[in-house]
Structures are given as structure tokens and as C-alpha cells.
Amino acid sequence: MRINIYIIFFGWLLLFAGSEYGYGQQEPMRIPSAPLFRDPVFDGAADPCVIYNHREKTWNIFYTNRRANVAVQGTAWVYGTHIGYASSADNGRTWQYRGTLDLEFEPGFNTFWAPHIVYDKGVYHLYVTYIPGVYNVWGGRGRIAHYTSKDLHKWKFRSLLELSENPLLDATVYKKPDGTWGMWYKDSKLGLTVTAVGKTPYQFTPVPGVVIGDCGHEAPLVFEYKGYYWLLTDQWEGFGVYRSEDTETWEKTGVILGNRGTRKEDNVRASHPGIAVTGEKAYIFYFTHPGWEKEGGWADESAKLDAAGVLPHVYKYSVIQVAELTFENGTLICDRDKPFDFYLPD
């Protein structure tokens, strides 16, 4: 009788332990918030780049901090922007706004767009589109500025990269399989992606020709996943997906996020991708303009201005979303409406 009582007692202990630690049952899915992040100061988070801070043991989103709630004329709200950032100490579940980076290196009120950061030998390298001044109509010559940091907070200006006399945008940098560094960026005069190469991440030499030229686009993004190199572009109606085995020649394999989603503030087109690959998982980050896209987008820009020539806030604010990429039949696919487990490991 006493033996039976002991068996029952230890059986209950094992049952409760199994409930506590997940034995015999599936762990609950960690579904991310939608939107994942909304800037609490200027309300204009765009062009996300996601990277791990090895010192703080946090994940960080860096983004173009558009001044969506500032009443300025014309397009001035997308100029005069700094790079904002937010961090997560709980593996991506919640995000804390950390402020903006001090990147000024010459006099004036200047513009910084589209951050891209890589980590190499204990040093973070930031590549960002730089335009002197502020414009209330689309203009200015974009160049690629390079900075370095040891902690992702304080940055040292290195140079304006000598790449082209044409206006440039949206640089992405990745270490190629031969050990050199590749940079892919938009030549705004051509409206297409071109490339440069360097022996180190400090200097790059342009490579003649066009890399991606099948349609107009911006925001090229290069990364490795599932045994291939991938290049995504923002075609303004989804992201073009290109695959390579060597980062030299690219084959288009599809378009993702071309359909509008159903999550909160995700029911408009996805813009400017960022990526985090963690083992077998790949998460794609992007921003949306919920109010703007519902009302026709840039094609109807002038009709939305008020009597003072100011675009109302509802059209300007933007948020950052995240979805999961999956590899199927030789390409990448993404269902932004499908629930998925979101966890950024240390």
C-alpha cells in the first residue's frame, strides 16, 4: 500500500514537472506584436536594420527616423532625419526606444537615411545615405557615409565613400565567399542596383555594369540563408527575390510581400526590407505607411497637402513589422498573415 502511494506521489510530481518544463506538450508560440515597433517621438520609423549588440546582449533596430509629426512643407519631413534606434533585452518581445545617433560631421541641418550595419572583428560598420541639408521637394545628391563603433551607441565618422558622381541610396554590405567585401546600392540616376568591392570594409571600388536591372527598385539587401546568397529589392509592389551561389550572378526566383496583409497597420505594401537570420530561422523586417497607402500613396501626394502646403500626420506616420521567411522549392516565400514563433536568441 505504501509503495503504491509513493508511485502515485512521484507520478504527480513528474506530471507537474512536465507541465512546468514542457515535457510531452508543445511550447506556446511566441507571436510578435503588430506592429512590432512604432517610434514614440517622431512617429516615423522606416528602413529597418536589425543587429545584435554583443556588449549589451540586446537586439537592436536601427531605422530612418522620419519626422512624421512635424508640420513642415512638402517633403521636408523625410529630410533632416537622424537614425533612430530601439533595443530588446527579451529576445524581440518588447522594444525600448533609445534615441537617435549623432552622425553629423559637417555644418548644417542634414539628412541621414537607410542605415545598414555589419559586424567584423569586434567593430560595427555603419553605412548610411547622407544628403546635406533639407529639401521641401525631392532633391539632393545622396552619398554613402561610413562610420565605425565598438558599442552601437557612439560612432566615428570614417569617410564619404568615393563611388560615383550620380546620387546614390540604400547601401548594403556583405562579406563575399572569396573574403572580399561587397557593397550593393541604388544608383538613383539609373534607378537600378550596382555594386562595389573592397579588400576591407573601409574602401570600395565600383564594379562596372548593373547587377539587378529587370525593373525599377530600391533598397537592395544581401544575406545568406539555406545554402544560398539572397538579394532582395523593394519593387514598390513587393520585394523581388534573387538567388546566387557566389554573389556574382543573380537569378530572380520570385516576389514576396506583394499582397497586403491583415494584421494591424500591415494592410498596405511592405517597404524597404531588413533581415535577421538566426540558425534555421530567418525573419524579415519592413515598414508600412498605413494611412498613406490607403489613400493612393505618392502618386497623389500634392492632393493631400493642406492649405499651408503641409502633409497631414495620418499620411506620414510609419511603423515597423516583422514576418517569417521560409525556404520552399528553391526560393523564399513569406506569408505575412500566418502566425509564427518569433524569438531572437542571444
Side-chain angles (χ1 to χ4, degrees):
M1 182 66 178
R2 182 175 297 176
I3 294 175
N4 290 338
I5 292 174
Y6 286 153
I7 291 174
I8 294 172
F9 176 72
F10 284 111
W12 278 107
L13 284 180
L14 289 173
L15 178 62
F16 285 127
S19 298
E20 178 73 19
Y21 295 103
Y23 301 145
Q25 66 180 31
Q26 187 174 358
E27 288 290 335
M29 190 175 291
R30 295 159 291 197
I31 298 175
S33 301
L36 183 69
F37 177 75
R38 185 166 179 173
D39 180 88
V41 178
F42 291 108
D43 207 16
D47 311 332
C49 170
V50 179
I51 192 165
Y52 186 68
N53 187 320
H54 293 268
R55 286 194 176 186
E56 290 187 352
K57 308 301 182 185
T58 60
W59 283 89
N60 293 258
I61 300 175
F62 291 81
Y63 57 92
T64 305
N65 205 172
R66 291 180 173 178
R67 302 182 296 149
N69 56 13
V70 177
V72 290
Q73 291 189 328
T75 61
W77 62 282
V78 295
Y79 289 88
T81 51
H82 293 283
I83 300 304
Y85 68 118
S87 64
S88 174
D90 56 8
N91 308 103
R93 186 172 64 87
T94 60
W95 296 86
Q96 176 192 11
Y97 175 76
R98 301 295 296 273
T100 58
L101 303 182
D102 180 9
L103 301 180
E104 294 287 6
F105 60 90
E106 62 183 10
F109 184 32
N110 302 304
T111 299
F112 298 88
W113 290 344
H116 183 79
I117 302 174
V118 296
Y119 182 70
D120 181 58
K121 298 177 181 178
V123 177
Y124 295 95
H125 295 262
L126 166 66
Y127 304 89
V128 61
T129 303
Y130 172 72
I131 301 175
V134 175
Y135 295 79
N136 62 6
V137 294
W138 293 107
R141 179 195 170 199
R143 300 180 68 184
I144 307 303
H146 175 216
Y147 299 77
T148 58
S149 174
K150 293 289 185 69
D151 61 8
L152 287 176
H153 298 292
K154 297 179 181 179
W155 292 88
K156 181 178 180 179
F157 173 71
R158 292 295 183 173
S159 69
L160 285 173
L161 297 175
E162 297 296 333
L163 298 169
S164 172
E165 292 300 317
N166 293 345
L168 309 176
L169 296 171
D170 301 344
T172 182
V173 172
Y174 195 83
K175 197 168 188 179
K176 297 158 73 75
D178 64 2
T180 62
W181 291 85
M183 174 181 285
W184 295 261
Y185 50 96
K186 178 181 178 179
D187 184 313
S188 295
K189 185 175 181 180
L190 300 175
L192 304 171
T193 292
V194 295
T195 189
V197 66
K199 293 182 179 179
T200 73
Y202 290 87
Q203 292 183 324
F204 293 84
T205 301
V207 177
V210 170
V211 178
I212 304 296
D214 60 307
C215 64
H217 61 269
E218 61 188 10
L221 174 68
V222 174
F223 60 98
E224 187 178 1
Y225 183 56
K226 294 293 185 181
Y228 292 99
Y229 298 97
W230 303 93
L231 191 155
L232 304 182
T233 64
D234 184 352
Q235 301 181 173
W236 307 300
E237 288 294 339
F239 299 151
V241 179
Y242 303 82
R243 189 183 69 187
S244 176
E245 295 184 354
D246 56 9
T247 71
E248 301 296 336
T249 58
W250 299 90
E251 172 192 8
K252 192 168 190 178
T253 60
V255 178
I256 60 173
L257 293 166
N259 296 322
R260 300 180 178 190
T262 59
R263 298 183 298 179
K264 182 180 178 182
E265 297 181 325
D266 198 28
N267 60 334
V268 295
R269 67 171 174 142
S271 295
H272 199 115
I275 195 76
V277 176
T278 61
E280 293 297 308
K281 293 282 190 177
Y283 302 111
I284 185 166
F285 300 78
Y286 54 92
F287 80 94
T288 63
H289 263 303
W292 185 263
E293 297 296 336
K294 289 179 182 178
E295 301 295 334
W298 301 111
D300 194 27
E301 181 179 359
S302 61
K304 297 178 176 62
L305 301 179
D306 64 19
V310 174
L311 191 66
H313 170 260
V314 66
Y315 300 125
K316 295 187 290 187
Y317 85 94
S318 55
V319 299
I320 293 174
Q321 304 277 9
V322 64
E324 184 178 22
L325 290 178
T326 56
F327 178 71
E328 292 186 15
N329 300 320
T331 189
L332 299 178
I333 64 172
C334 181
D335 182 354
R336 56 167 42 169
D337 297 330
K338 182 180 179 181
F340 65 98
D341 187 54
F342 179 60
Y343 182 82
L344 296 172
D346 294 328

